[in-house]
DNA sequence: CTGGGGAGGGGGCCC
DNA sequence: AGGGCCCCCTCCCCA
């Protein structure tokens, strides 16, 4: 008996030692990762400082031009110049804001070519270099990027700053720049929940809840090795999940939207349009998927695609959207009222804004908040969705999501739990639609990313699917392989023929659809 | 009613 | 044998 007691005592002591060792190891890991996060936060802060400085410069430019314009107007016209100028600049500010949606007062900026000191009232407000309306966020980004110039990095490097600064929290202040020192009221200090800092697009919201962690998401980092992060963080590449019974957890989603000036393929960094799977969620390795705030309606993305590809804004202008880093700070006990105020970024926002929102926002739909755009269904039997609060170990609890909003998914048997025979193991985190294979979800995500890798050699059209390009090329070739057996009509689309034949059969088209 | 683009599903081939 | 990829089919939607 005594031996038994001694044995138990020894066991207990060994357990304690092991536990202490484990705790120490965990602490070390946390410290290491925290250092990395701090570094990235600092970099982000530097970049934001540089952008703010640039905005101030642009403001000065505006003021100067305004003064010049005032003088000129006084000379040239009998109309009270102040009113006209005010109109003009008010208009510019409105356009800028409508496009970007979040430039703060006092930071409205635009770029006007040197020597262009007058504005005509009938002149569309465009980026003079691109000829593209500034309502396109991409243009605004281009202005920023261009104005920032090569010296920005240098400038940033000269500014070391308090990392705590990066934890300034912005909540409930849509479209307000995260840090605008002179003209913007400081963010409400009360809730300290999250912060996002995005180059030129500071009005983003990330919300989450967990233990106090600072997570850095390199969301859109054009020209950077955006693959390094998941690798550094110990995740594998996208691929099939290791095993069906593993807990596949969404990690994070990266996207790069850029284009080259030669009009070639717009690289959206699609190889990162994916999620990385980890079988265990470590407290130091929690990754937030980023969910677009507004509903990704088809129209939004089509519009985006249209503006980007069809109109060739990106292609022709070589505009690069850069959203450098997003820093998220999550505090304990933050309620999951992840602000469903869609109006913040809702209608009236630019297409580009939508794209960014998609990357930046976690709020609006608590059900999908903090999930990556793509993840494996974890619980195939579950339809309910929740990202429950962290469990006692600080882990996220992810359940699968079925977005009831996606009517099309329902109509076409989409959704994670549709009754189709094939198991829909792959879930798009943007719309929560389920797919049976990874390829399909990757293709599907082009809807959200706007990636259209297939371009027509005879026109500007681009397509997300090769098959659609092939069909499209019949427009150029005039090939109409589908002919009606009852008339001489020929069609380039098989479905057009099928639809046409309803005319002969007298079948009601609506009834046919039903 | 047609033209045509967007998008999902599934089969077949290859590794 | 299973997964990835390519391709085609199909349907929806809009102009």
């Amino acid at each position: 008996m005594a031996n038994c007691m001694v044995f138990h005592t020894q066991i207990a002591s060994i357990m304690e030692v092991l536990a202490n060792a484990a705790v120490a190891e965990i602490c070390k890991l946390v410290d290491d990762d925290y250092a990395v996060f701090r570094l990235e936060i600092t970099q982000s802060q530097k970049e934001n400082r540089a952008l703010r400085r640039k905005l101030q410069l642009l403001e000065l430019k505006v003021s100067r031009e305004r003064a010049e314009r005032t003088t000129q107007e006084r000379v040239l016209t009998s109309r009270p110049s102040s009113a006209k100028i005010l109109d003009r600049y008010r208009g510019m500010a409105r356009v800028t804001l409508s496009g970007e949606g979040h430039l703060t007062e006092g930071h409205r900026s635009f770029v006007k070519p040197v020597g262009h000191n007058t504005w005509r009232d009938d002149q569309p407000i465009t980026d003079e270099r691109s000829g593209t309306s500034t309502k396109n966020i991409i243009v605004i980004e281009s202005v920023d990027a261009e104005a920032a110039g090569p010296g920005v990095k240098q400038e940033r490097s000269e500014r070391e700053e308090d990392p705590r600064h990066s934890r300034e929290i912005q909540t409930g202040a849509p479209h307000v720049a995260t840090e605008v020192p002179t003209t913007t009221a400081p963010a409400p200090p009360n809730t300290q929940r999250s912060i996002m800092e995005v180059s030129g697009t500071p009005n983003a919201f990330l919300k989450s809840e967990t233990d106090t962690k600072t997570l850095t998401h390199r969301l859109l980092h054009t020209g950077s090795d955006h693959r390094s992060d998941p690798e550094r963080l110990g995740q594998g590449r996208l691929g099939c999940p290791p095993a069906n019974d593993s807990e596949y957890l969404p990690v994070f989603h990266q996207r790069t939207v850029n284009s080259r000036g030669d009009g070639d393929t717009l690289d959206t960094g699609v190889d990162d349009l994916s999620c990385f799977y980890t079988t265990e969620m470590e407290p130091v390795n929690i990754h937030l998927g980023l969910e677009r705030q507004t509903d990704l309606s088809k129209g939004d993305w089509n519009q985006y695609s249209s503006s980007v590809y069809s109109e060739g804004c990106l292609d022709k202008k070589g505009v690069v959207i850069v959203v450098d880093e997003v820093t998220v700070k999550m505090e304990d006990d933050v309620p999951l009222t992840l602000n469903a105020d869609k109006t913040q970024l809702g209608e009236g926002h630019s297409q580009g804004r939508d794209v960014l929102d998609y990357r930046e926002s976690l709020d609006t739909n608590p059900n999908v908040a903090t999930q990556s755009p793509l993840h494996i269904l974890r619980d195939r039997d579950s339809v309910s969705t929740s990202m429950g609060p962290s469990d006692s170990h600080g882990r996220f609890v992810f359940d699968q999501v079925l977005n009831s909003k996606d009517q099309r998914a329902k109509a076409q048997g989409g959704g994670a739990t549709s009754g189709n025979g094939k198991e829909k193991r792959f879930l798009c985190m943007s719309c929560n639609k389920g797919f049976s294979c990874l390829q399909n979800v990757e293709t599907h995500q082009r809807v959200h990313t706007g990636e259209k890798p297939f371009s027509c050699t005879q026109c500007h059209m681009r397509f997300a699917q090769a098959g659609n390009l092939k069909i499209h090329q019949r427009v150029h070739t005039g090939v109409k392989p589908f002919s009606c057996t009852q008339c001489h009509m020929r069609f380039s689309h098989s479905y057009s023929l099928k639809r046409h034949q309803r005319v002969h059969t007298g079948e009601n088209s609506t009834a046919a659809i039903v």
Side-chain angles (χ1 to χ4, degrees):
Chain A
M1 192 62 181
N3 285 341
C4 188
M5 292 290 289
V6 170
F7 181 70
H8 279 294
T9 305
Q10 288 175 344
I11 291 285
S13 62
I14 289 171
M15 292 289 284
E16 187 175 349
V17 169
L18 288 175
N20 288 337
V23 167
E25 194 167 340
I26 290 170
C27 288
K28 185 174 181 301
L29 286 171
V30 170
D31 290 342
D32 291 346
D33 280 20
Y34 183 66
V36 173
F37 291 145
R38 287 278 292 269
L39 182 62
E40 295 188 4
I41 292 165
T42 303
Q43 290 173 350
S44 176
Q45 286 295 313
K46 289 174 186 173
E47 292 174 5
N48 277 296
R49 286 288 182 92
L51 287 171
R52 283 200 303 276
R53 174 180 281 192
K54 185 196 61 187
L55 281 172
Q56 289 170 353
L57 290 174
L58 290 174
E59 241 187 9
L60 284 175
K61 229 186 237 179
V62 170
S63 301
R64 212 177 305 136
E65 288 170 359
R66 185 178 302 171
E68 290 174 9
R69 181 178 168 79
T70 303
T71 305
Q72 194 168 5
E73 291 284 343
R74 281 173 184 164
V75 172
L76 293 179
T77 177
S78 60
R79 176 187 170 183
S81 61
S82 59
K84 190 173 181 180
I85 292 169
L86 204 58
D87 289 345
R88 164 59 59 192
Y89 282 91
R90 191 179 297 142
M92 281 188 285
R94 181 172 61 247
V95 170
T96 303
L97 285 171
S98 68
E100 187 69 338
H102 50 70
L103 289 182
T104 56
E105 294 289 333
H107 284 269
R108 295 166 181 169
S109 62
F110 60 93
V111 172
K112 197 168 64 166
V114 175
H116 190 165
N117 290 328
T118 59
W119 295 90
R120 297 198 322 271
D121 279 346
D122 58 342
Q123 171 185 352
I125 300 169
T126 61
D127 180 0
E128 298 292 334
R129 292 156 298 160
S130 66
T132 305
S133 168
T134 52
K135 71 181 179 182
N136 191 330
I137 185 175
I138 295 164
V139 174
I140 294 172
E141 291 284 347
S142 78
V143 169
D144 285 349
E146 199 166 315
V152 172
K153 292 271 181 187
Q154 174 100 14
E155 185 180 19
R156 290 173 192 148
S157 65
E158 296 169 1
R159 290 162 161 250
E160 280 299 327
E161 55 189 276
D162 186 356
R164 288 174 300 179
H165 191 58
S166 67
R167 297 184 186 179
E168 285 182 15
I169 302 306
Q170 173 199 353
T171 57
H175 312 293
V176 175
T178 306
E179 298 169 298
V180 180
T182 56
T183 59
T184 303
N190 51 343
T191 53
Q192 292 218 346
R193 188 182 302 162
S194 66
I195 183 172
M196 280 195 65
E197 294 187 351
V198 179
S199 303
T201 59
N203 64 329
F205 306 93
L206 280 180
K207 296 172 194 257
S208 180
E209 58 179 6
T210 179
D211 296 339
T212 299
K213 299 289 176 197
T214 299
L215 303 181
T216 298
H217 298 270
R218 193 179 299 273
L219 292 180
L220 287 166
H221 208 130
T222 301
S224 68
D225 184 7
H226 43 277
R227 300 178 191 180
S228 61
D229 287 318
E231 291 170 0
R232 173 170 50 77
L233 294 172
Q235 285 108 33
R237 296 277 305 161
L238 169 68
C240 285
N244 284 339
D245 54 353
S246 300
E247 285 188 350
Y248 302 124
L249 297 172
V251 186
F252 65 88
H253 177 99
Q254 300 175 341
R255 184 178 293 107
T256 300
V257 176
N258 60 31
S259 70
R260 300 198 298 262
D262 58 7
D264 203 343
T265 302
L266 183 140
D267 180 10
T268 57
V270 68
D271 53 346
D272 292 309
L273 287 176
S274 55
C275 71
F276 301 88
Y277 302 99
T278 179
T279 55
E280 185 177 4
M281 185 71 87
E282 297 178 7
V284 295
N285 211 14
I286 296 171
H287 306 278
L288 294 181
L290 300 177
E291 182 64 28
R292 183 173 174 270
Q293 177 163 4
T294 56
D295 192 17
L296 276 175
S297 68
K298 181 180 175 183
D300 288 341
W301 287 101
N302 282 343
Q303 286 175 1
Y304 170 65
S305 297
S306 175
S307 65
V308 169
Y309 298 97
S310 298
E311 296 171 17
C313 299
L314 283 176
D315 286 358
K316 291 174 183 172
K317 306 305 170 190
V319 177
V320 176
I321 296 176
V322 178
V323 179
D324 291 307
E325 295 191 16
V326 178
T327 302
V328 188
K329 181 174 185 294
M330 290 162 288
E331 298 286 347
D332 286 327
D333 302 328
V334 175
L336 193 56
T337 54
L338 296 184
N339 136 36
D341 186 5
K342 284 190 180 184
T343 61
Q344 292 172 354
L345 294 169
E347 296 175 2
H349 281 75
S350 71
Q351 298 141 5
R353 178 67 244 168
D354 286 340
V355 175
L356 294 174
D357 288 345
Y358 166 63
R359 300 172 184 114
E360 296 160 4
S361 299
L362 286 168
D363 45 358
T364 297
N365 183 359
N367 288 342
V368 296
T370 72
Q371 299 183 19
S372 75
L374 166 65
H375 75 178
I376 300 293
L377 301 185
R378 180 167 168 251
D379 179 1
R380 296 191 187 103
D381 295 327
S382 171
V383 182
S384 66
T385 297
S386 67
M387 193 214 73
S390 310
D391 65 15
S392 59
H393 305 291
R395 297 179 182 181
F396 283 137
V397 178
F398 289 95
D399 287 326
Q400 72 179 18
V401 179
L402 179 60
N403 188 348
S404 61
K405 292 177 185 176
D406 196 334
Q407 303 299 330
R408 183 185 173 92
K410 286 181 177 178
Q412 295 197 349
T417 57
S418 79
N420 283 4
K422 266 201 170 179
E423 196 175 43
K424 297 187 181 301
R425 298 166 53 212
F426 299 91
L427 188 63
C428 173
M429 289 310 301
S430 298
C431 61
N432 307 315
K433 194 180 295 179
F435 294 87
S436 57
C437 65
L438 184 60
Q439 184 70 28
N440 287 347
V441 73
E442 285 179 341
T443 300
H444 159 77
Q445 287 202 322
R446 292 175 187 156
V447 174
H448 305 307
T449 65
E451 186 208 8
K452 295 185 175 183
F454 307 100
S455 58
C456 178
T457 57
Q458 301 182 53
C459 70
H460 66 280
M461 291 291 295
R462 291 175 179 270
F463 299 88
Q465 295 187 19
N468 290 341
L469 170 61
K470 188 175 181 180
I471 293 171
H472 158 76
Q473 286 178 328
R474 294 173 188 159
V475 173
H476 302 301
T477 62
V479 172
K480 294 186 175 182
F482 306 100
S483 57
C484 178
T485 57
Q486 301 180 46
C487 69
H488 298 296
M489 292 279 292
R490 299 184 69 87
F491 302 90
S492 58
H493 281 59
S494 63
Y495 190 74
S496 294
L497 171 61
K498 184 176 181 179
R499 187 178 54 188
H500 161 77
Q501 286 179 328
R502 293 172 189 160
V503 176
H504 297 305
T505 62
E507 188 179 4
N508 188 324
S509 60
T510 56
I513 292 173
V514 173

